[in-house]
Amino acid sequence: MKTVIFLISVGSFARLLLRSGVLDNVSKKAQVIIISPAAEDEDFVKEFTKEGVIIENQITKHNLEATLFDKILYKIRNSKFVGSKKQRYLLWEKFENYILTRKKFCDILKGFKADLVVTASPGIVTTADLPYLRAARILEIPTCGVIQQWDNLSTKGLMPFRPTKLAVWNEASKKDAMELQYYDFQDVEICGVPHFDLYQKAPFEDRDYFFKKIGFNPNKPLITFTTAPYKSVADHTYVLDILVNA
């Protein structure tokens, strides 16, 4: 049986790859190893430990703040000289990852006898997965990047690590992968939004009952407006003003 590693370095990755049904489907066909810092969390272990799934501690931690070294590499990678030319970027990406590969992570993956390593962030949202991905490449283990958000390929610059295959939301995301990240057509798969499938499985209430419960008129359409965190966008009241005035 094949062995698939899921790198779950951030909480939202659990929602994307574990709670969405992806873990259930993969674990029917392969042995799954979840590598996560949450391996030390009782509730996490209880939720995801089952037949065919084991959980191992991730020794790298998610860091929101980029180091000076990370910033320098980002500047080089996205410079006009390197980033604007596909072949130069591909060569730089291989060089960057080769010199940063660490033997201890190669030893870890060898011990797991992995056939595939899956990540939601090839250095885009977090750099915590990069040491495992780099080791996988040295060991010639295929990698898969399941892109978490619609803008990850278009607003974060060139990826510091290029997974063998990319799984994206839709045609627009696939276009971004090919035009902005220099992927070939056959290396990008459209798979929808796994973590949105949760909403399809949620228990739904009768519309009239729901409107009555919240004191709304069921004869009128409902607009649901959700906001970004305060750190990203401090004020959304102007959007509400636009909606009310409209």
Side-chain angles (χ1 to χ4, degrees):
M1 182 177 280
K2 301 289 186 180
T3 298
V4 177
I5 289 178
F6 284 165
L7 298 172
I8 309 296
S9 52
V10 181
S12 58
F13 296 177
R15 181 168 172 262
L16 171 67
L17 295 172
L18 306 184
R19 295 190 179 99
S20 62
V22 174
L23 174 64
D24 292 337
N25 288 331
V26 174
S27 63
K28 291 174 184 176
K29 303 174 182 178
Q31 171 79 32
V32 175
I33 300 172
I34 298 172
I35 298 180
S36 174
E40 300 173 350
D41 183 281
E42 241 179 75
D43 292 333
F44 182 90
V45 173
K46 183 178 179 181
E47 180 178 358
F48 298 115
T49 299
K50 61 178 183 177
E51 186 178 352
V53 177
I54 63 174
I55 301 174
E56 297 285 343
N57 189 38
Q58 186 170 2
I59 59 177
T60 53
K61 303 295 183 183
H62 174 48
N63 184 7
L64 291 173
E65 298 298 328
T67 65
L68 177 60
F69 186 58
D70 291 331
K71 291 176 181 178
I72 292 172
L73 291 176
Y74 179 90
K75 287 285 187 183
I76 296 173
R77 193 184 314 121
N78 291 281
S79 66
K80 286 185 178 180
F81 180 74
V82 174
S84 62
K85 300 293 183 181
K86 179 178 180 179
Q87 290 308 316
R88 287 178 188 169
Y89 162 61
L90 295 180
L91 286 172
W92 171 260
E93 186 268 348
K94 288 181 180 177
F95 170 74
E96 180 180 329
N97 286 287
Y98 177 77
I99 63 171
L100 294 175
T101 300
R102 296 292 177 263
K103 182 179 181 299
K104 69 178 177 180
F105 291 98
C106 292
D107 293 338
I108 290 171
L109 293 190
K110 281 180 184 176
F112 293 143
K113 295 182 172 60
D115 296 289
L116 175 68
V117 177
V118 181
T119 180
S121 176
I124 298 174
V125 179
T126 175
T127 58
D129 293 356
L130 289 177
Y132 295 90
L133 296 170
R134 289 169 179 150
R137 177 179 289 175
I138 291 294
L139 298 173
E140 298 184 347
I141 301 170
T143 53
C144 176
V146 183
I147 300 305
Q148 184 187 24
Q149 299 293 352
W150 67 271
D151 66 343
N152 282 175
L153 298 174
S154 58
T155 63
K156 309 296 184 185
L158 288 163
M159 292 187 292
F161 181 91
R162 290 170 57 80
T164 314
K165 300 284 184 180
L166 277 186
V168 299
W169 286 23
N170 50 31
E171 290 288 354
S173 297
K174 184 163 186 172
K175 184 180 178 183
D176 285 343
M178 293 189 294
E179 293 184 358
L180 303 178
Q181 301 291 339
Y182 301 123
Y183 265 86
D184 293 329
F185 180 88
Q186 68 272 14
D187 293 327
V188 185
E189 294 291 338
I190 295 172
C191 69
V193 193
H195 47 302
F196 285 3
D197 288 350
L198 293 169
Y199 300 122
Q200 294 295 328
K201 300 172 184 175
F204 287 93
E205 291 180 335
D206 176 76
R207 189 175 190 275
D208 288 342
Y209 171 78
F210 174 73
F211 272 69
K212 184 179 179 181
K213 187 171 72 172
I214 63 176
F216 278 14
N217 183 349
N219 296 318
K220 292 183 177 181
L222 173 67
I223 297 174
T224 302
F225 175 57
T226 60
T227 63
Y230 183 84
K231 184 178 178 182
S232 301
V233 183
D235 182 22
H236 282 90
T237 54
Y238 74 95
V239 180
L240 292 174
D241 290 338
I242 293 170
L243 291 172
V244 170
N245 290 334

